[in-house]
């Protein structure tokens, strides 16, 4: 099959996460792809709406869920607007998996801290479930997740599951003014919630994903908590076209984010021309 030819995937379930964020649950149409497809947490795909084009999304479900994959996206433009209107029974295209991944084997025995804002939860949700499905192999699992408002939190039912588990520490927060009368989480920005929570760094890793402003103000907090740049991991969302290192759309200097990323440590990013400004 040619490099840019997508595989057909049938949508078998959808979930409206927020007014403009939707999850599609997908199964390959070809039985052979259902059998043979595999990927690793952190990888992404190109999802196509036929006649419209392709959009890049991470695979938001973990590799441990063998029978299907999920993507979660915000409708922001031409392709995502068409994908937003798709429902169960519709067929879309998929190319992938592409990119590097979170090196899970290196994380074994370590405490893992996830610092996440808004729609950036999907790539880390993949990793979080991957870790929870192999729970005994890892240390503490700590999640700080915030959104602008209660309505903007994604995967609300899973947040409830994580909050109920004794082997997960979950801190949720919404921006001031974004709370509802029955909101039981915190009120404040993610970096502030992180500072108040103050998890120990130890030998652990911190995964940070969110809007640039959230990342900017979370970094000094992580530094204060004792996380070195090599212990901080993020995943970039540079604009992409081919996804396979051919078109030159995603480069930062000589680094192809679609091949050498999207997963980078803060130390690796410091060495790129953009520096630590991600
Ligand atoms: C590796 C990777 C993983 C991603 N995972 C997800 C995900 O899980 N969920 C999700 O919602 N989005 C994700 N994105 C972002 C997503 O690819 C874009 O939002 C989407 O492709 C926009 O498609 P569109 O054709 O609807 O928008 P377009 O019509 O192309 O653009 C709409 C608007 O968004 C801007 N825009 C589009 N893409 C980007 C971008 N990458 N960076 C900055 N601005 C952009 C455009 O300039 C324009 O203003 C990911 C991106 C990458 C590279
Ligand atoms: S997206 Fe084409 S080179 Fe990376």
């Amino acid at each position: 099959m040619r490099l840019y030819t997508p595989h057909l995937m049938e949508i078998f379930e959808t979930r409206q996460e927020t007014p403009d964020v939707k999850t599609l649950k997908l199964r390959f149409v070809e039985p052979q792809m259902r059998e043979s497809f595999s990927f690793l947490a952190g990888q992404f795909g190109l999802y196509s709406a036929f006649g419209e084009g392709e959009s890049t999304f991470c695979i938001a479900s973990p590799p441990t869920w063998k029978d299907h994959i999920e993507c979660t996206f915000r409708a922001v433009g031409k392709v995502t607007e068409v994908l937003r209107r798709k429902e169960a029974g519709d067929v879309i295209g998929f190319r992938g998996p592409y990119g590097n991944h979170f090196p899970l084997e290196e994380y074994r025995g370590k405490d893992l801290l996830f610092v996440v804002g808004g729609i950036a939860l999907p790539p880390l949700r993949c990793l979080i479930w991957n870790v929870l499905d192999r729970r005994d192999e890892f240390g503490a699992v700590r999640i700080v997740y915030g959104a602008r408002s209660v309505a903007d939190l994604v995967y609300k039912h899973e947040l409830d599951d994580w909050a109920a588990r004794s082997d997960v520490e979950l801190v949720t927060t919404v921006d001031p003014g974004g709370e509802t009368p029955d909101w039981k989480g915190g009120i404040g920005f993610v970096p502030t919630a992180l500072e108040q929570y103050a998890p120990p760094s130890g030998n652990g890793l911190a995964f940070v994903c969110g809007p640039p402003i959230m990342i900017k103000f979370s970094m000094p907090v992580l530094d204060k908590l004792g996380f070195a740049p090599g212990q901080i991991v993020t995943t970039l969302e540079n604009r992409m076209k081919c996804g396979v290192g051919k078109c030159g759309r995603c480069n930062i200097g000589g680094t192809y984010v679609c091949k050498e990323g999207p997963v980078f440590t803060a130390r690796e990013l410091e060495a790129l021309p953009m520096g630590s400004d991600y």
Side-chain angles (χ1 to χ4, degrees), residues 16-205:
Q16 199 67 43
E17 303 285 353
T18 76
D20 62 352
V21 176
K22 189 163 181 173
T23 293
L24 305 181
K25 298 190 179 188
L26 302 158
R27 270 197 209 108
F28 285 103
V29 169
E30 303 148 75
Q32 181 223 337
M33 280 302 291
R34 288 191 196 185
E35 287 295 310
S36 62
F37 182 76
S38 67
F39 71 99
L40 295 164
Q43 290 192 289
F44 64 91
L46 280 117
Y47 301 73
S48 40
F50 299 116
E52 297 296 338
E54 294 180 310
S55 263
T56 314
F57 310 134
C58 69
I59 301 176
S61 51
T64 36
W65 299 355
K66 294 285 180 204
D67 61 331
H68 75 282
I69 64 166
E70 299 180 15
C71 65
T72 300
F73 58 92
R74 170 170 283 150
V76 292
K78 193 164 92 64
V79 178
T80 43
E81 189 49 47
V82 177
L83 289 174
R84 186 182 68 83
R85 294 200 293 271
K86 300 287 181 195
E87 291 299 341
D90 288 337
V91 171
I92 66 168
F94 173 87
R95 293 197 284 127
Y98 296 138
N100 69 350
H101 58 275
F102 296 104
L104 204 59
E105 301 312 317
E106 292 174 18
Y107 304 159
R108 290 173 70 171
K110 297 190 173 172
D111 293 345
L112 307 178
L113 168 68
F114 300 89
V115 182
V116 202
I119 176 66
L121 189 51
L124 293 186
R125 178 229 195 192
C126 170
L127 178 60
I128 291 169
W129 276 119
N130 203 169
V131 165
L132 295 181
D133 288 341
R134 296 170 44 176
R135 187 66 190 89
D136 293 349
E137 298 173 43
F138 304 94
V141 172
R142 304 182 172 108
I143 304 166
V144 179
Y145 176 49
R148 266 186 208 163
S149 71
V150 175
D152 289 312
L153 294 163
V154 297
Y155 308 126
K156 291 186 185 67
H157 62 295
E158 293 178 18
L159 297 177
D160 293 340
D161 289 350
W162 295 343
R165 289 178 71 130
S166 58
D167 58 358
V168 174
E169 291 175 30
L170 175 70
V171 173
T172 50
T173 187
V174 295
D175 292 358
E179 69 276 19
T180 50
D182 59 346
W183 171 242
K184 296 197 172 48
I187 298 171
F189 299 115
V190 167
T192 312
L194 174 65
E195 192 161 20
Q196 287 164 355
Y197 174 45
S201 55
N203 71 346
L205 289 142

Side-chain angles (χ1 to χ4, degrees), residues 4 44 46 56 238-251 255-259:
Y4 298 115
F44 64 91
L46 280 117
T56 314
N238 292 37
R239 289 213 82 166
M240 291 183 186
K241 190 157 181 67
C242 70
V244 290
K246 304 265 185 221
C247 73
R249 175 72 73 94
C250 67
N251 305 33
T255 300
Y256 287 82
V257 175
C258 65
K259 291 196 82 168

